[in-house]
Amino acid sequence: MNQDRRGFLKTTSLLAGASLLNPFSEVSAGQAYVPQQKNLRMKLRYRPYTLELRHVFTIATSSRTTTPVMLTEIEYDGVIGYGEASMPPYLGESQEGAAAFLAKVNLEKYDNPFEMETILTDIDAIATGNPAAKAAVDIALHDLVGKLMNQPWYNIWGFKKNATPYTSFTIGIDKEDVVRQKTKEAAEYKVLKVKLGRDTDKMMIETIRSVTDKPITVDVNQGWKDRSFALDMIHWLKEKGVVFVEQPMPKEQIEDMAWLTERSPLPTFGDEGVQRLADVKKAHGVYNGINIKLMKCTGMREAHKMLTLARALDMKVMLGCMTETSCAISAASHLSPMVDYADLDGALLISNDLYDGTKVVDGKVTLTDRPGIGIKKV
Ligand code: MG
């Protein structure tokens, strides 16, 4: 009898004996996480931080050079999970508001961080709104739980690490020479995302096309008020090699938007018009796809549900971000193997990142092997 055969028989007989006692014992599971001490409790900490932008960032409705964020940590059994709320002022949240919300979050009443569904549902119920502040807790809790399990979230969710998309690189509304310069600086990226919605739209696209023929996606940020004008623009953009149009019209103009989507030669995506899970069903028939952002939808847990629901409704999915450190960008990136498009350039737009995590390598979202959301402090 050769060695393999003997080993096989020995194993089989052991399993057969064991299975008399327990039919599941042949499954050799890894050891579940067991807290070493009793009465362990989670501790939440938070502090404000200001992101410095590399360029003045202009969209249809505003311009700015900094982004206020709130950094969070949840500590449990000597392990620390990191989170972040990014709060561009036009979205209505602030460091003061986030601090007031987080002061009401009492994680010490939970003795098991794995009960994420309960914990995050309770936190969502503390107050309406505050999606970024809620995301700051959600991300830190996911990071903590992933670290306790010693697994990255793409593994926990069952996604393929290397199936990540290219990320687009965002070019804000600007003067012709600046747009040309930014397009040249974006040489590494395979897809450009262009902000439109002012009277310079055609100049923006023609300027970029004078430099490169790579695919362009556009984000109008609700800037076109007239549906016939929007349809004409989309036909023009299609001829210029644009691949989809994000939030072309104001989110309130739902009937106009549905009219436009029905006729549009390019897919339409809802961003401002699709904030949370409950909005996905309403977006069906209005947009072809949704833009999921952790800061809109309260974090990774709800983002994962939105992705699942959008797929069930046969809608396209893109994954977006605010200007954020590599903390929130890395958190979002664990969903990216399952999306059609990613716009995860938020950490590339700032000069004072605090973490090392998911990177953009030759334009592609590239996940780390680290557990949790996969970051470390730098
Ligand atoms: Mg957008």
Side-chain angles (χ1 to χ4, degrees):
M1 197 184 290
N2 67 32
Q3 197 68 37
D4 285 352
R5 176 84 179 141
R6 211 163 28 236
F8 172 77
L9 285 176
K10 190 178 170 196
T11 309
T12 318
S13 60
L14 278 172
L15 287 173
S19 68
L20 292 174
L21 301 170
N22 177 351
F24 301 110
S25 66
E26 65 225 63
V27 179
S28 167
Q31 188 152 14
Y33 172 78
V34 181
Q36 298 304 302
Q37 308 162 46
K38 287 182 178 163
N39 298 319
L40 284 169
R41 287 293 184 268
M42 287 181 277
K43 284 193 172 53
L44 173 67
R45 294 185 288 267
Y46 47 92
R47 70 179 175 97
Y49 185 66
T50 301
L51 305 182
E52 307 290 339
L53 309 190
R54 292 182 191 277
H55 289 283
V56 178
F57 191 65
T58 302
I59 64 169
T61 46
S62 58
S63 290
R64 64 180 200 278
T65 54
T66 61
T67 301
V69 305
M70 185 68 83
L71 303 171
T72 53
E73 294 182 4
I74 300 176
E75 183 167 354
Y76 178 86
D77 199 7
V79 179
I80 297 174
Y82 297 105
E84 175 183 9
S86 172
M87 297 168 288
Y90 67 94
L91 293 175
E93 288 187 78
S94 63
Q95 289 170 333
E96 296 72 26
F101 179 85
L102 294 170
K104 294 178 202 154
V105 174
N106 176 16
L107 293 180
E108 305 213 7
K109 66 180 175 184
Y110 305 102
D111 57 12
N112 183 0
F114 288 80
E115 291 170 7
M116 304 175 80
E117 196 69 45
T118 302
I119 296 167
L120 295 172
T121 301
D122 288 353
I123 288 170
D124 193 21
I126 290 173
T128 54
N130 298 281
K134 290 171 183 174
V137 182
D138 168 286
I139 294 167
L141 186 60
H142 277 78
D143 193 34
L144 171 70
V145 167
K147 284 171 173 166
L148 293 173
M149 295 170 82
N150 199 27
Q151 288 294 332
W153 272 92
Y154 58 79
N155 270 351
I156 298 168
W157 279 330
F159 300 159
K160 190 173 174 180
K161 182 189 174 195
N162 294 325
T164 50
Y166 290 110
T167 181
S168 53
F169 183 83
T170 303
I171 297 182
I173 297 170
D174 226 314
K175 295 190 186 74
E176 206 173 325
D177 56 332
V178 180
V179 171
R180 192 173 293 115
Q181 183 58 32
K182 283 192 200 166
T183 306
K184 286 176 184 163
E185 284 173 19
E188 183 194 345
Y189 304 96
K190 313 288 189 224
V191 184
L192 298 176
K193 171 168 170 168
V194 183
K195 294 288 192 178
L196 298 183
R198 290 193 178 173
D199 55 7
T200 52
D201 289 355
K202 289 194 176 179
M203 177 281 286
M204 289 284 298
I205 298 295
E206 278 166 346
T207 302
I208 292 165
R209 276 288 168 258
S210 73
V211 180
T212 178
D213 59 0
K214 60 179 70 160
I216 295 176
T217 72
V218 304
D219 186 357
V220 188
N221 289 113
Q222 317 184 73
W224 300 335
K225 316 295 180 198
D226 181 84
R227 66 187 193 181
S228 297
F229 172 80
L231 185 58
D232 287 347
M233 279 300 296
I234 295 174
H235 277 286
W236 183 82
L237 291 168
K238 183 169 195 269
E239 285 175 19
K240 298 290 176 188
V242 169
V243 295
F244 72 74
V245 179
E246 189 182 330
Q247 201 65 53
M249 302 192 69
K251 62 182 178 185
E252 301 82 12
Q253 290 178 227
I254 293 165
E255 280 182 31
D256 288 333
M257 195 54 237
W259 179 93
L260 182 63
T261 293
E262 203 180 329
R263 290 160 183 80
S264 173
L266 295 177
T268 63
F269 280 74
D271 181 7
E272 289 87 340
V274 185
Q275 306 279 318
R276 298 198 52 179
L277 178 62
D279 299 320
V280 178
K281 197 176 163 193
K282 293 181 220 161
H284 186 232
V286 178
Y287 305 95
N288 297 117
I290 62 168
N291 185 349
I292 298 175
K293 292 176 180 167
L294 300 189
M295 297 302 145
K296 290 192 299 187
C297 75
T298 73
M300 297 169 72
R301 193 143 198 94
E302 189 151 321
H304 183 262
K305 293 178 183 183
M306 290 174 77
L307 171 70
T308 307
L309 179 55
R311 289 296 182 220
L313 293 169
D314 202 22
M315 297 180 79
K316 293 181 186 296
V317 176
M318 68 174 288
L319 192 57
C321 62
M322 311 298 171
T323 40
E324 297 164 357
T325 71
S326 288
C327 175
I329 294 294
S330 298
S333 72
H334 287 262
L335 287 163
S336 72
M338 294 299 284
V339 306
D340 301 296
Y341 300 101
D343 177 29
L344 292 179
D345 62 352
L348 306 168
L349 303 175
I350 63 171
S351 58
N352 58 343
D353 200 352
L354 292 169
Y355 304 95
D356 177 87
T358 294
K359 286 188 170 50
V360 178
V361 179
D362 292 331
K364 186 178 155 81
V365 176
T366 305
L367 301 162
T368 73
D369 293 320
R370 298 185 196 118
I373 63 170
I375 62 168
K376 64 174 186 186
K377 280 187 170 173
V378 291

